[in-house]
Amino acid sequence: MKKGLLIVYSGLSGVGKGTILEKLMPMKELNLAYSVSMTTRQPRPGEKEGVNYFFVSKKRFVEAVKNGELLEHARFVDNDYGTPKEYVERMREEGKNVILEIEIRGAKQIMEKCPDALSIYIVPPSIEELERRLRERSSEDEQTIMKRIAKAKRELKETDMYEHIVCNDDLDKAVEEVRQIILDEMNK
Ligand code: 5GP
């Protein structure tokens, strides 16, 4: 059986990458498996353990890093995030295309380790639009929002390493573009 793809999927928080992914996940032809990350962040309202993240203590996270359980890991704003290795490898062996929704430094680690990974970065139409979307979501305090915006501006300067940049101006168009990128890679 052909091994599944490793797809690095990134974009600034608030850019709508989660919404795009929700539309892609049920598409059978894409044969996707979502890699659930480990994080030390607190759950947001509605988030579920083992679905959105594995929510762990700092101590457990450090232990996972030490034991080599993570394929990559990075600190984002004030929390740690990492990709459990075992699931990714098992799913790829089963022929599933595994999607890693991760931030840019983790993505860099993956691309160094797995040069054949497919990489996609979602950009907002503008920083102003991103700021508006972040406030609308308003699950975070002003200081955290400002931190995320400052980080966004720095991050956008570093997106060259991604193979594909997709603008989420129109949701359906962005979904279709990402779908096509994955299909093209599967058919290579
Ligand atoms: P949020 O707190 O908004 O859920 O996620 C913050 C950022 O961390 C997002 O850019 C998200 O893609 C990223 N992220 C989520 N899981 C991981 C992971 O396992 N590794 C890395 N490097 N980043 C992650």
Side-chain angles (χ1 to χ4, degrees):
M1 189 198 283
K2 200 172 151 194
K3 197 172 169 185
L5 301 173
L6 183 58
I7 307 169
V8 175
Y9 177 75
S10 309
L12 301 166
S13 17
V15 77
K17 61 184 188 299
T19 314
I20 296 174
L21 203 52
E22 270 169 31
K23 299 213 172 219
L24 294 168
M25 289 307 298
M27 295 180 182
K28 289 229 159 63
E29 58 184 343
L30 297 182
N31 199 19
L32 295 173
Y34 182 79
S35 159
V36 178
S37 297
M38 194 182 270
T39 184
T40 58
R41 164 164 86 57
Q42 291 297 313
R44 295 197 186 111
E47 284 185 332
K48 290 203 177 72
E49 167 69 16
V51 176
N52 305 93
Y53 283 104
F54 296 107
F55 297 98
V56 300
S57 64
K58 289 205 168 77
K59 185 163 172 269
R60 171 69 189 103
F61 195 92
V62 169
E63 183 187 282
V65 172
K66 226 194 272 167
N67 294 345
E69 291 172 52
L70 304 178
L71 198 56
E72 60 71 38
H73 63 95
R75 203 167 172 77
F76 183 87
V77 187
D78 293 322
N79 292 292
D80 293 304
Y81 298 81
T83 303
K85 196 189 287 181
E86 198 269 338
Y87 176 84
V88 173
E89 284 170 4
R90 182 158 44 87
M91 287 298 123
R92 289 187 75 196
E93 288 304 330
E94 288 178 18
K96 291 266 187 198
N97 300 316
V98 179
I99 193 141
L100 309 184
E101 188 183 342
I102 62 177
E103 57 67 65
I104 199 159
R105 272 161 311 136
K108 223 175 249 176
Q109 296 168 42
I110 297 285
M111 288 182 223
E112 279 163 15
K113 274 190 209 163
C114 321
D116 61 339
L118 173 65
S119 56
I120 304 170
Y121 192 90
I122 311 293
V123 290
S126 68
I127 282 283
E128 291 73 25
E129 175 60 17
L130 180 79
E131 193 166 341
R132 196 189 63 72
R133 290 183 197 175
L134 274 176
R135 287 185 198 289
E136 205 175 71
R137 184 164 88 180
S138 75
S139 56
E140 280 138 338
D141 58 38
E142 181 61 21
Q143 203 188 2
T144 307
I145 291 177
M146 292 312 290
K147 264 193 186 176
R148 283 184 185 255
I149 292 165
K151 194 172 176 65
K153 289 184 180 163
R154 287 197 301 273
E155 182 167 319
L156 281 175
K157 293 186 186 138
E158 281 184 73
T159 53
D160 302 4
M161 62 173 182
Y162 287 81
E163 215 176 323
H164 302 275
I165 305 279
V166 174
C167 177
N168 185 18
D169 195 355
D170 175 277
L171 178 63
D172 291 336
K173 267 198 216 149
V175 169
E176 179 49 28
E177 209 176 315
V178 177
R179 186 184 79 93
Q180 204 53 57
I181 290 169
I182 298 173
L183 285 176
D184 287 349
E185 190 70 20
M186 287 168 73
N187 294 326
K188 263 187 190 165

